[in-house]
Amino acid sequence: MKKVLLILLAALFIAVGCQEADASQDAEQQENPGSDTEENTVSDEPVEVIFWHAMGGALQEALDQIVASYNEAQDQVIVKAEYQGTYDEALTKFNSIAGTENAPTMMQVFEIGTKSMINSGGIEPIQTFIDQDGYDMGQLEENIINYYRVDDQFYSMPFNSSTPVMYYNKDAFEAAGLDPDNPPATFEEIEAAGRTIMAENPDMKGFALQAYGWLYEQLLANQGALLMNNDNGRTDTPTEIGFTEEEGKSIFEWVERMIADDTFANYGTNGDNMVAGFMAEDVAMFLASSANVRSVVDSAPFEVGVAFLPYPENKERNGVVIGGASLWMMNGKEEAEQLAAWDFMKYLQTPEVQAAWHVGTGYFAINPAAYEEQVVQDAYQEMPQLKVTVDQLQSTTSSVATEGALMDMIPEARRITESALETVYNGGDVDTAYQAVVDQMNAAIEQANRARGE
Amino acid sequence: MKDTAVILSDEKQIDVFKAVKKQKLVRFLKGMLFLMPSIVLFSLFLFYPLGRTIYLSFFLTDGSGDPTVFVGWENYLNLFTSPIFLKSLRATFLFVLYTVPGTILVSLFLAILANEKLKGIGIFRTMYASTMGISVAAASVFWMFLFHPTIGWLNQILQALGFNSIGWLTDPQWALLAVSISTIWMNLGFTFLIMLGGLQSIDRYLYESADIDGASYFYQLRRITLPMLSPTLFFVITVTFINAFQTFGQIDMLTRGGPQNETQLIVYSIYQEAFMNYQFGPASAQAIFLFIVILLLTLIQFKLGERKVHYQ
């Protein structure tokens, strides 16, 4: 029995001893930071910048190349690019460590995460560095910076931007007697083209629309509709949806008409399957991000055309909202580290880097000067389809609709529209599907506003 | 702990009452010492998160999961008016209904086959148990190829036989069934192995005496094999049951809850609510609800099922 007691006492001593050791270590650490920074400024140790991104596959390779060339070009800063999964996953990871020392120096976040990043409190608006440095944001593409300018401030640096475009099979158009250089521009023209193509080749469906909330938002914006009220959340936090019944339903009804014609190919929410179906000549037209232009054109066994996003006949074309992502600076980091990250951000905006990025992926050049670069000119000669996406963006009418909506529950809104689209694809009633979108989205907006506790 | 030391050092005269008390205390502490590792681990990874989840389920939260507004029971009440949650509840029960009996019947059949003493039976036993070594992610990718609408094997076989191809993962009529089939396949290895072990441990003499009595094969199966296997069956049913309620991986890989939320099982719905919509409050309420459902069903199962179990 005494032995047990001794063991217990010994354990107690060890526990107390550990705590004391911890305390003394803490004290040492508290003394250290001062000396650390002194050392840093004196020595020529390069500053390390941790950069979280969500670029997988071929996009990651293109990004890694840019990072490597930056690290080689100078010896003050070392950028470490770390892939953190999809945009959603990366944002979730960031949210759980925002404001702690585990946070990266800078991070790539998708456009619909803008509002929740601002609300997270873990970021330093890049406006701070723009002012310090006198950096000219005016040199960047106007339509892109319009999206990221919130209350006349830049919170993040635009980086990779894309818009949706329509891909079509030129060979199939020719076979059906349609003009391959004059693709359909409206919903109605697409329906007609689909019917013609199917009459010629019954194995090929006319059109595929992936059940993807982003595309629904784009098709709304293209007809000048708002996604959220209060000017798409630009003047005040949205309190309900911003589109009218006619606008919101037009897309569902369009799909319904194509299903009735039997010209619609349903690939559900899976974009990869849709592209595979296009490659296998199962479907003649589909909508997808312009970031895919290079890979689709390169790997299709037929000639691929790229066209503007369609709109309903009785409306004007308004243009597109930029999609993609921007770069965010974290707060609570040492100034040297932040300045190093800022330097890297500026490097990414140079025409040379943007030209390589644009040509290598299909994302826009944020800096229009990049289009003058020889690499880009050569690429346009070789692949004119790359240019369509730039033309579409530059012909976009600047308005609240095309500036895009700002709200933190947009990821949820996307899933709501996706399941409504699927309902219609599978023969569901348009009115019920649309009503579900309105009810669920308004409820989600209300919930999000309450959760902020303001 | 210091108190113990004081009691011990102060103790001079012999007091029976005190001695017994002291002994009890020491025994208690000794017991706690042995339990300490599991108590620490359980509290760290189970009890604390459980408490935290209950706490969060009464709040709305901001993006990083910090509670902002106290809403009382509202998160729970909203669950039962939300058509999406009711649908996911229905999907979960259907999924359990498809996968639990499916897994048990198929693996029981395979285990009885593989229990025969034949030449080369080891090869079949290895084969049947092999899905145990495949991760959910790898298996899902494999099934995704099989289910592919145009180039998948399943549809190619259907077309070769003259049937229309099926949108396995995109058709709301089929998606849940398709996910269930792949789940049954994934579960087979483990349940097969446990059941084979159960069959192997049944005494031979039971069958020998039944043979002498002239009992047929199926009579033996019904009267000897199944009753003797019942503890194993009970264990396997309980485990697959709970696993089915907690299915996540294959949903995330194959359908992401679609089409039309048809395969949105509760655990996936919790994940979506918390980590994609950043609504940690409602997500916590769903988690607590799932906890209660599994707890109740397991209790019922123990009450009803255990009566039929025959322990040797």
Side-chain angles (χ1 to χ4, degrees):
Chain A
M1 211 108 32
K2 279 208 173 131
K3 262 187 198 163
V4 174
L5 204 77
L6 274 175
I7 292 169
L8 279 177
L9 278 174
L12 202 73
F13 274 123
I14 291 169
V16 171
C18 281
Q19 270 178 347
E20 271 170 18
D22 277 350
S24 56
Q25 264 175 4
D26 279 347
E28 274 169 41
Q29 271 173 352
Q30 271 172 352
E31 282 161 27
N32 263 339
S35 54
D36 261 357
T37 42
E38 268 167 46
E39 267 169 19
N40 258 346
T41 43
V42 173
S43 75
D44 273 346
E45 282 282 297
V47 187
E48 198 171 89
V49 169
I50 307 290
F51 171 32
W52 279 14
H53 65 86
M55 302 273 89
L59 299 174
Q60 183 172 13
E61 280 168 33
L63 184 63
D64 282 345
Q65 256 174 22
I66 294 176
V67 171
S69 70
Y70 175 74
N71 285 340
E72 269 168 35
Q74 42 74 47
D75 52 7
Q76 306 290 314
V77 183
I78 294 182
V79 175
K80 285 198 172 162
E82 294 175 359
Y83 175 62
Q84 296 291 339
T86 63
Y87 287 130
D88 268 315
E89 288 161 1
L91 187 56
T92 305
K93 283 185 200 171
F94 172 74
N95 266 325
S96 59
I97 53 146
T100 71
E101 62 184 36
N102 293 322
T105 326
M106 58 187 279
M107 180 182 172
Q108 180 196 27
V109 177
F110 58 177
E111 83 280 18
I112 53 175
T114 302
K115 190 81 181 185
S116 57
M117 287 301 281
I118 296 174
N119 291 344
S120 79
I123 58 111
E124 179 75 40
I126 62 154
Q127 189 69 43
T128 321
F129 301 94
I130 294 174
D131 294 344
Q132 263 177 30
D133 211 16
Y135 188 74
D136 177 22
M137 287 298 273
Q139 59 175 314
L140 305 182
E141 176 76 46
E142 190 197 348
N143 282 311
I144 296 174
I145 58 176
N146 272 346
Y147 185 96
Y148 291 106
R149 187 190 288 126
V150 182
D151 305 328
D152 279 323
Q153 267 223 63
F154 288 104
Y155 284 90
S156 61
M157 182 65 108
F159 171 52
N160 55 316
S161 293
S162 65
T163 60
V165 286
M166 187 175 81
Y167 295 78
Y168 64 99
N169 183 334
K170 280 193 168 180
D171 292 1
F173 267 57
E174 217 163 281
L178 295 163
D179 180 3
D181 295 319
N182 189 15
T186 64
F187 287 4
E188 287 75 8
E189 282 170 28
I190 286 180
E191 288 167 41
R195 282 192 296 268
T196 322
I197 287 167
M198 270 200 83
E200 156 68 25
N201 179 2
D203 285 340
M204 189 185 274
K205 297 272 186 200
F207 185 80
L209 178 66
Q210 182 192 353
Y212 184 15
W214 178 63
L215 289 174
Y216 185 81
E217 289 162 23
Q218 295 286 357
L219 290 167
L220 279 179
N222 201 17
Q223 42 183 301
L226 300 179
L227 183 64
M228 301 281 159
N229 72 350
N230 288 335
D231 296 327
N232 255 343
R234 295 277 167 176
T235 45
D236 200 1
T237 310
T239 53
E240 58 179 33
I241 54 156
F243 47 88
T244 65
E245 186 171 342
E246 187 212 351
E247 292 162 339
K249 266 191 191 170
S250 64
I251 298 151
F252 291 114
E253 283 163 349
W254 173 43
V255 171
E256 197 187 31
R257 288 196 300 272
M258 285 190 288
I259 291 173
D261 286 349
D262 201 25
T263 59
F264 185 78
N266 175 14
Y267 291 97
T269 51
N270 195 322
D272 293 336
N273 281 353
M274 180 179 65
V275 175
F278 180 72
M279 298 293 182
E281 304 190 44
D282 287 340
V283 63
M285 300 172 267
F286 72 98
L287 302 182
S289 161
S290 60
N292 301 330
V293 167
R294 179 162 278 275
S295 66
V296 171
V297 173
D298 273 345
S299 45
F302 45 82
E303 222 188 314
V304 177
V306 176
F308 283 14
L309 193 72
Y311 56 95
E313 210 165 49
N314 56 354
K315 292 275 167 54
E316 291 283 307
R317 183 206 305 279
N318 278 260
V320 286
V321 182
I322 59 117
S326 62
L327 303 173
W328 293 78
M329 182 80 76
M330 304 309 153
N331 60 14
K333 296 281 165 190
E334 276 170 36
E335 205 184 340
E337 202 179 318
Q338 285 183 330
L339 287 175
W342 170 244
D343 189 59
F344 178 59
M345 284 187 190
K346 284 194 295 187
Y347 173 77
L348 290 176
Q349 305 303 337
T350 55
E352 301 79 43
V353 175
Q354 282 296 318
W357 179 241
H358 171 55
V359 170
T361 59
Y363 280 116
F364 294 118
I366 305 289
N367 190 335
Y371 299 125
E372 310 300 325
E373 294 284 316
Q374 198 54 43
V375 227
V376 178
Q377 294 300 329
D378 291 347
Y380 285 172
Q381 286 289 323
E382 178 207 338
M383 195 181 282
Q385 292 96 327
L386 278 171
K387 199 166 183 311
V388 175
T389 113
V390 181
D391 292 343
Q392 176 170 249
L393 183 72
Q394 288 178 345
S395 67
T396 291
T397 344
S398 196
S399 69
V400 243
T402 57
E403 268 175 21
L406 266 188
M407 183 63 188
D408 47 6
M409 47 61 73
I410 294 181
E412 190 176 354
R414 286 194 175 169
R415 272 180 290 281
I416 293 170
T417 42
E418 279 158 23
S419 87
L421 283 170
E422 281 183 309
T423 310
V424 176
Y425 293 178
N426 290 303
D429 180 45
V430 168
D431 293 327
T432 6
Y434 174 75
Q435 201 51 46
V437 168
V438 175
D439 292 345
Q440 291 173 17
M441 249 197 230
N442 282 336
I445 294 170
E446 198 194 320
Q447 176 93 328
N449 284 337
R450 279 184 59 204
R452 232 169 283 121
E454 284 159 0
Chain B
M1 271 175 260
K2 273 179 182 164
D3 288 346
T4 338
V6 172
I7 293 169
L8 207 73
S9 57
D10 277 355
E11 185 213 333
K12 285 280 188 272
Q13 76 255 57
I14 294 161
D15 184 334
V16 181
F17 182 69
K18 248 187 179 174
V20 169
K21 209 174 168 189
K22 182 195 79 184
Q23 209 170 4
K24 265 189 184 164
L25 186 67
V26 170
R27 214 182 271 163
F28 173 74
L29 287 176
K30 226 197 234 171
M32 288 309 279
L33 194 67
F34 281 111
L35 280 177
M36 205 41 92
S38 58
I39 289 181
V40 167
L41 287 177
F42 271 106
S43 347
L44 204 63
F45 294 110
L46 288 174
F47 301 139
Y48 171 71
L50 177 66
R52 184 76 186 163
T53 309
I54 293 175
Y55 173 76
L56 276 180
S57 71
F58 294 110
F59 286 88
L60 294 179
T61 64
D62 62 10
S64 50
D66 292 325
T68 48
V69 188
F70 178 80
V71 291
W73 292 99
E74 196 187 297
N75 286 335
Y76 289 94
L77 295 177
N78 283 347
L79 287 187
F80 299 102
T81 51
S82 150
I84 300 178
F85 182 75
L86 293 178
K87 196 168 190 181
S88 83
L89 205 58
R90 191 180 134 256
T92 311
F93 279 109
L94 276 180
F95 181 78
V96 171
L97 205 66
Y98 294 157
T99 55
V100 176
T103 309
I104 302 290
L105 287 179
V106 177
S107 55
L108 181 63
F109 176 71
L110 290 180
I112 289 172
L113 279 188
N115 196 30
E116 298 296 324
K117 285 201 171 62
L118 296 171
K119 227 181 201 170
I121 197 73
I123 298 171
F124 288 95
R125 288 181 184 165
T126 316
M127 225 155 70
Y128 295 156
S130 62
T131 62
M132 211 173 109
I134 302 174
S135 74
V136 172
S140 304
V141 170
F142 162 74
W143 278 95
M144 202 147 74
F145 283 121
L146 288 183
F147 285 138
H148 191 282
T150 46
I151 54 173
W153 272 15
L154 291 177
N155 274 349
Q156 283 184 346
I157 292 171
L158 281 180
Q159 276 169 343
L161 295 175
F163 294 103
N164 281 335
S165 56
I166 293 171
W168 293 101
L169 298 173
T170 49
D171 186 337
Q173 309 259 320
W174 284 96
L176 192 63
L177 209 64
V179 176
S180 302
I181 291 171
S182 54
T183 307
I184 290 174
W185 183 83
M186 289 173 208
N187 288 344
L188 273 188
F190 174 73
T191 37
F192 164 79
L193 207 66
I194 302 284
M195 290 224 217
L196 186 64
L199 286 176
Q200 301 261 306
S201 64
I202 299 175
D203 260 327
R204 289 276 98 194
Y205 76 83
L206 289 172
Y207 293 103
E208 278 160 22
S209 37
D211 273 336
I212 293 167
D213 291 342
S216 73
Y217 178 79
F218 287 99
Y219 191 80
Q220 286 183 19
L221 187 69
R222 198 154 55 85
R223 291 294 163 136
I224 301 174
T225 310
L226 288 184
M228 296 305 283
L229 196 61
S230 57
T232 316
L233 272 176
F234 184 66
F235 167 75
V236 167
I237 290 174
T238 313
V239 170
T240 32
F241 195 72
I242 294 176
N243 273 348
F245 267 107
Q246 297 183 340
T247 302
F248 174 79
Q250 51 269 54
I251 299 291
D252 190 44
M253 300 283 296
L254 290 175
T255 62
R256 299 187 154 260
Q260 298 168 40
N261 299 327
E262 210 49 62
T263 59
Q264 175 116 327
L265 305 189
I266 294 190
V267 174
Y268 193 72
S269 152
I270 294 171
Y271 164 76
Q272 228 177 32
E273 197 72 0
F275 300 110
M276 291 168 94
N277 298 346
Y278 304 114
Q279 298 286 347
F280 292 90
S284 301
Q286 289 187 18
I288 296 299
F289 178 76
L290 177 65
F291 167 71
I292 294 171
V293 168
I294 296 183
L295 183 72
L296 284 181
L297 288 176
T298 312
L299 280 180
I300 292 173
Q301 204 189 350
F302 266 85
K303 277 263 176 287
L304 293 181
E306 212 167 21
R307 275 192 233 143
K308 298 241 160 65
V309 174
H310 173 88
Y311 291 103
Q312 246 167 334

